[in-house]
Amino acid sequence: METPRTGPTGETIDPHRHRALGTASRASILEMVRAADTGMTIAEVGERTGLHLSTARTHLDRLVDAGLLVKARASGGQPGRPAWRYRVAVTEAPAPAPYRALAAALLDHLSRRGRGDVRAEAIRAGRDWGRHLAAATAPGDEPVDTLLDVLRGLGFSPRRHRTAAGTTEVHLHTCPFLELVNRNPDAICALHVGVVRGVLEHAGAPPAGAVLEPFGASDACVVRLTLPAAREAAE
């Protein structure tokens, strides 16, 4: 068993992360991804470094396993199965323990079933969860107000934005379920989509148009809503 060691600033050295950065290639890739505002795909890393795609994927996933990067499929709301996009993991306060335990139990359940569309099932489960959370939240003046309250309670640090097209976006500046994202990105992101849709449905807004784009902004994941922009100025 390895004994935790304390570095010069008092932090505990994480041997797992230390080993992940034990090669010049991975350290270089981490810095490269850190410098990219919206993260990088395997193909982009391969092009920049000259590494074979399978080698680039191995390095990136090793950094994900060490908690240094997080990956998600950034689709921009387009159909199909987009490439993984990797981004530096920012350490933030996690969601309340009961919520994390519930999400972890759901992921374990879906992985054990091993059949069907895991993403679709996660959306359905998240939708039920979102309705439950919205029912326990004081209703806002608009559906987006209720959504913001629920997401704030989960620890997403949400902020409302108006778009040039006159619609509403909600930017999620933290990911309180980060350790679960790394375990099963498709399922946990789908769970979040379901939560958003469940909240909107309970608040009386059409839920189907809500789309979550991981890494949709340089500093946030983006929930795109087919709702008129709020009357108030963006928060």
Side-chain angles (χ1 to χ4, degrees):
M1 185 177 76
E2 298 184 13
T3 302
R5 299 179 297 278
T6 301
T9 59
E11 77 278 8
T12 298
I13 295 174
D14 185 336
H16 188 45
R17 293 190 177 196
H18 185 71
R19 284 195 295 269
L21 292 173
T23 70
S25 292
R26 278 198 290 272
S28 176
I29 288 171
L30 179 62
E31 290 305 312
M32 189 184 308
V33 175
R34 180 176 286 127
D37 285 343
T38 57
M40 299 182 71
T41 63
I42 294 169
E44 290 168 345
V45 169
E47 182 179 359
R48 290 276 300 275
T49 62
L51 294 172
H52 190 276
L53 293 184
S54 62
T55 303
R57 180 184 296 107
T58 298
H59 284 317
L60 287 164
D61 284 340
R62 182 69 181 273
L63 293 168
V64 169
D65 291 341
L68 295 165
L69 295 181
V70 61
K71 68 178 182 179
R73 297 188 189 276
S75 67
Q78 300 303 312
R81 194 172 181 83
W84 291 114
R85 184 165 290 275
Y86 295 77
R87 190 170 179 177
V88 171
V90 178
T91 302
E92 301 287 352
Y99 292 144
R100 297 202 315 279
L102 177 61
L106 174 62
L107 291 184
D108 289 342
H109 171 71
L110 293 177
S111 64
R112 285 196 303 270
R113 292 189 61 175
R115 64 182 186 275
D117 187 341
V118 171
R119 178 176 170 81
E121 291 190 24
I123 289 176
R124 284 195 291 270
R127 197 160 176 169
D128 290 341
W129 190 18
R131 286 194 293 265
H132 171 77
L133 293 173
T137 302
D141 293 334
E142 300 179 354
V144 177
D145 295 326
T146 303
L147 177 61
L148 289 169
D149 285 343
V150 169
L151 293 174
R152 194 175 294 116
L154 288 173
F156 283 100
S157 301
R159 292 177 66 87
R160 180 184 355 220
H161 288 259
R162 301 180 186 216
T163 70
T167 58
T168 299
E169 293 180 348
V170 176
H171 289 203
L172 309 178
H173 291 274
T174 63
C175 184
F177 297 89
L178 194 58
E179 75 276 16
L180 300 179
V181 171
N182 285 339
R183 281 171 52 182
N184 193 329
D186 279 340
I188 197 66
C189 289
L191 182 68
H192 296 162
V193 171
V195 168
V196 169
R197 292 179 180 177
V199 172
L200 292 175
E201 184 177 21
H202 184 274
V211 174
L212 171 63
E213 183 183 353
F215 312 156
S218 62
D219 60 348
C221 295
V222 178
V223 177
R224 306 192 191 281
L225 305 173
T226 54
L227 301 172
R231 290 186 297 270
E232 301 91 351
E235 291 184 350

